[in-house]
Amino acid sequence: MIFGLSHVDVPVTNLEAALRLYGGGLGFSERRRGPGFVDLDGSSCLLRLVETRQVEHPVTLRLSVGDVEVVARALTDAGARELYAPMRMEGEFLAQVADADGNALIVWRELSEDERGVVPALPTELTWEPEAEELLKSLLQRVPVFFRAMARRRVTANAEHLASATRRVERLHVIRSYVLSSARVTRYRLRKPLQEHGISPDDFREEFECEERL
């Protein structure tokens, strides 16, 4: 039986120097130490630094990070050699450095919707009126990008729930769902986006005052 990935072995010729990079530069804490090796907590799996006389087969590690530039700078400050400065590539923002033994570290994150300049399709199941779909896509652009995918799924599903009788989503369903998908305490934030789309929030007072959330 396979229980999952437990370690990634990184061959190094100087264990203490490697610890300054992988421990200090990345902030990985030490979990275990033995003859010729140190295990570091890499969050998703353990990183085992294995001391060897000569590194014959360097490895490449991909590290998911929040801020590529900050982490890349921390690694070079800790002794890594820059291979590629932070750059965009195929939907990602990444940088690459190498340790003294040639092991490569790629630090990366996905580009946001705004950075890619694309508007994803709505996860629809029913038939949508074109103006209803256009309205929701436009309203979603006002949602912070970190929360946008979740909002897209929720508001789309709730609009289709409201349109279940006719099986056709119209502009009214989108507006009602947009309001009712939010908690009442935060609905005041929706007034300005609606007004910018020529929609009077006062026409949907019942939805704004409803205690329940779809």
Side-chain angles (χ1 to χ4, degrees):
M1 180 180 293
I2 298 175
F3 295 104
L5 182 66
S6 64
H7 294 71
V8 173
D9 286 1
V10 180
V12 298
T13 55
N14 186 321
L15 194 56
E16 294 307 316
L19 275 172
R20 288 193 291 273
L21 175 62
Y22 292 90
L26 291 176
F28 291 169
S29 58
E30 185 173 325
R31 287 284 299 277
R32 182 185 175 197
R33 182 185 289 259
F37 77 89
V38 175
D39 284 346
L40 299 176
D41 187 351
S43 184
S44 54
C45 72
L46 293 177
L47 199 67
R48 174 164 289 188
L49 304 179
V50 183
E51 194 165 43
T52 181
R53 294 181 64 183
Q54 181 178 350
V55 175
E56 298 181 355
H57 302 289
V59 301
T60 298
L61 305 176
R62 287 185 65 92
L63 306 169
S64 177
V65 302
D67 192 318
V68 170
E69 293 172 318
V70 168
V71 177
R73 186 163 53 250
L75 288 171
T76 55
D77 289 346
R81 174 170 52 93
E82 182 180 81
L83 298 179
Y84 298 105
M87 61 181 174
R88 295 187 181 194
M89 180 179 292
E90 297 180 0
E92 298 177 352
F93 188 57
L94 58 85
Q96 184 170 348
V97 302
D99 67 13
D101 296 300
N103 298 301
L105 296 92
I106 300 172
V107 293
W108 74 283
R109 65 169 176 81
E110 289 187 7
L111 292 176
S112 70
E113 293 176 12
D114 293 342
E115 290 172 321
R116 294 197 306 271
V118 298
V119 179
L122 301 177
T124 61
E125 295 184 6
L126 302 183
T127 301
W128 282 59
E129 294 287 350
E131 59 269 23
E133 184 173 352
E134 181 181 351
L135 174 61
L136 181 51
K137 286 182 176 180
S138 183
L139 287 171
L140 288 170
Q141 292 303 111
R142 295 296 305 273
V143 177
V145 67
F146 183 78
F147 303 104
R148 196 175 299 158
M150 179 176 63
R152 180 179 297 110
R153 291 192 298 269
R154 178 186 292 276
V155 180
T156 299
N158 288 334
E160 295 196 339
H161 171 71
L162 294 172
S164 58
T166 62
R167 308 286 294 174
R168 192 173 190 87
V169 179
E170 300 178 354
R171 183 180 172 90
L172 178 62
H173 299 127
V174 167
I175 299 170
R176 294 188 64 215
S177 175
Y178 180 67
V179 177
L180 292 171
S181 295
S182 296
R184 182 181 179 186
V185 68
T186 62
R187 287 177 189 159
Y188 70 92
R189 300 173 184 169
L190 310 180
R191 298 182 66 87
K192 185 176 181 180
L194 289 173
Q195 290 169 337
E196 291 174 347
H197 287 79
I199 301 165
S200 173
D202 292 337
D203 292 342
F204 297 89
R205 185 176 293 108
E206 182 178 346
E207 284 78 7
F208 271 90
E209 295 179 355
C210 179
E211 294 289 347
E212 296 183 1
R213 174 183 182 181
L214 283 179

